[in-house]
Amino acid sequence: MHELGIVFYIIRDVKKAAEENHVNHVDAVVMDIGEVSTVVPHLLTDCWRWAADKEELLKGCELKVNTIPAVTWCDDCKREYETVKHGRTCPHCNSENTWLLRGNEVEIREIQVETHS
Amino acid sequence: MDEVKVIEIKKSVFAENEQDANNLRQELKDKGVFLLNLMSAPGSGKTSTLIQLINRIKGKTRVAVMEADIDSDVDAVKIKEKTGVPSIQLHTGGMCHLDAEMTRQGLDNVNLDEVDLVVLENVGNLVCPAEFDTGATCNAMILSVPEGDDKPLKYPLMFTVCDLVIINKMDVVPYFDFDLERCKKYIHLRNPQAQIIPVSAKTGHGIDHLVEWLLKQLP
């Protein structure tokens, strides 16, 4: 549901980066989206299509989503495990003393532009 | 020949909003204004709890309210009628949350020299408002008994970002399988520091605790 708000943030950041790099059209934006970031990739790309095509800079620009697997750290047995599979409880020692290491990202990794030479 | 050039960005899309939010928080602190961001699911009793709270706190501090909704001004009108404090309505234009920029625009319509406490009633939603820092001094949420005591497990981020969890509709506990102690345990799993205050906006039970807690937080 918050994907549209996130798309507006991406557009704002990409516009800024394009201006700084003197780019007048962006062909692709690559996102790093964590598995447990609560962002639904297909909703993000749907919102993106609708909003990006309204911008001259981003007409037809593709939003590529790179999913970052979520990994949790157990403070008791000092081991890592897959968050989505096991949730908060460590599968090795049953502890709930666990912390998300990665998988919460909503980041713009890079933008791709065509250069004519 | 056309070549693809890659420009690395490596930046969280929330970074700019977080910066805006931190600036706004500092500006409010300098002005001596406390901004309370109140969140919850639709129908948990945000507006009726707020009316109870304001009517008991307005003699002790100067209050204003900003109501955020996708549409209509029923909440802002109700607050003004039932409490007499200044109340403005913000429309989010279809968005499911407020961010720092929208909050700032709302605050531009509040006379900050004449208030100590501004309550922002966020859009009814347990997911999106938790993602976007509004610049509030304090985040609070209302969980109502009929929603169930397992909500902290289902919407962990909301419970993680809140300093205060108000459990509303305590008067209907006998009719639901709601275990207050279990609920507290689930909230503290997510957020060991969270303050939890059970209330009933209908009977007024527990509202004095809320008033007492809030007055302690004010500058």
Side-chain angles (χ1 to χ4, degrees), chain B residues 2 5 8 12 31 70 74-75 122 129 139 156 198-199:
Chain B
D2 288 353
K5 183 183 164 201
E8 195 175 89
S12 162
K31 277 198 152 70
I70 287 172
V74 289
D75 282 352
N122 214 312
N139 285 324
V199 305

Side-chain angles (χ1 to χ4, degrees), chain A residues 9 38 88 111 113 115, chain B residues 3 5 7 10 99 131 190:
Chain A
Y9 281 0
T38 76
R88 255 198 91 90
I111 63 176
V113 296
T115 53
Chain B
E3 283 179 358
K5 183 183 164 201
I7 300 168
K10 283 266 174 218
D99 64 9
E131 298 269 5
R190 297 289 166 247

Side-chain angles (χ1 to χ4, degrees), chain B residues 3-21:
Chain B
E3 283 179 358
V4 176
K5 183 183 164 201
V6 169
I7 300 168
E8 195 175 89
I9 301 198
K10 283 266 174 218
K11 186 184 161 206
S12 162
V13 298
F14 296 112
E16 195 163 322
N17 185 55
E18 273 153 27
Q19 187 56 53
D20 280 356

Side-chain angles (χ1 to χ4, degrees), chain B:
Chain B
M1 212 179 89
D2 288 353
E3 283 179 358
V4 176
K5 183 183 164 201
V6 169
I7 300 168
E8 195 175 89
I9 301 198
K10 283 266 174 218
K11 186 184 161 206
S12 162
V13 298
F14 296 112
E16 195 163 322
N17 185 55
E18 273 153 27
Q19 187 56 53
D20 280 356
N22 286 334
N23 293 344
L24 180 57
R25 225 179 330 269
Q26 188 56 48
E27 288 166 40
L28 290 170
K29 196 178 171 193
D30 294 344
K31 277 198 152 70
V33 173
F34 188 93
L35 177 62
L36 177 73
N37 175 26
L38 186 60
M39 299 175 279
S40 84
S44 66
K46 275 195 300 301
T47 310
S48 45
T49 305
L50 208 46
I51 289 168
Q52 284 272 14
L53 174 68
I54 292 170
N55 281 333
R56 289 173 202 222
I57 210 171
K58 68 183 178 191
K60 300 176 175 112
T61 188
R62 298 170 300 172
V63 189
V65 176
M66 297 200 295
E67 291 287 338
D69 282 296
I70 287 172
D71 203 356
S72 102
D73 60 355
V74 289
D75 282 352
V77 169
K78 202 194 277 175
I79 293 276
K80 205 171 277 173
E81 274 176 14
K82 301 266 171 92
T83 69
V85 305
S87 156
I88 60 167
Q89 182 76 48
L90 311 177
H91 282 158
T92 59
M95 300 272 262
C96 50
H97 61 271
L98 281 183
D99 64 9
E101 177 60 34
M102 292 186 256
T103 305
R104 184 186 289 279
Q105 287 170 13
L107 287 170
D108 285 344
N109 297 294
V110 177
N111 187 349
L112 294 179
D113 296 327
E114 288 179 7
V115 293
D116 309 301
L117 168 66
V118 179
V119 183
L120 169 63
E121 189 180 327
N122 214 312
V123 182
N125 181 331
L126 286 183
V127 185
C128 316
E131 298 269 5
F132 297 85
D133 191 341
T134 57
T137 323
C138 172
N139 285 324
M141 67 93 58
I142 301 180
L143 171 67
S144 65
V145 165
E147 294 168 59
D149 53 28
D150 57 355
K151 286 296 165 292
L153 300 181
K154 293 182 165 184
Y155 301 92
L157 185 64
M158 175 57 77
F159 290 87
T160 306
V161 302
C162 281
D163 308 287
L164 168 69
V165 178
I166 300 163
I167 301 183
N168 190 26
K169 308 192 189 179
M170 284 304 290
D171 52 304
V172 298
V173 158
Y175 307 102
F176 290 89
D177 293 326
F178 185 95
D179 183 333
L180 183 60
E181 289 313 309
R182 188 164 55 205
C183 189
K184 284 181 177 174
K185 192 186 123 201
Y186 290 157
I187 293 168
H188 284 142
L189 254 182
R190 297 289 166 247
N191 182 356
Q193 273 83 47
Q195 177 75 34
I196 302 170
I197 303 180
V199 305
S200 164
K202 191 160 177 84
T203 65
H205 170 83
I207 303 288
D208 285 338
H209 287 136
L210 198 54
V211 170
E212 198 185 315
W213 185 86
L214 198 52
L215 285 174
K216 261 193 233 156
Q217 315 301 314
L218 296 184

Side-chain angles (χ1 to χ4, degrees), chain A residues 20-40:
Chain A
E20 284 166 8
N21 290 279
H22 311 290
V23 167
N24 49 34
H25 189 264
V26 177
D27 296 289
V29 173
V30 183
M31 299 294 300
D32 281 335
I33 305 283
E35 259 184 324
V36 295
S37 65
T38 76
V39 173
V40 182

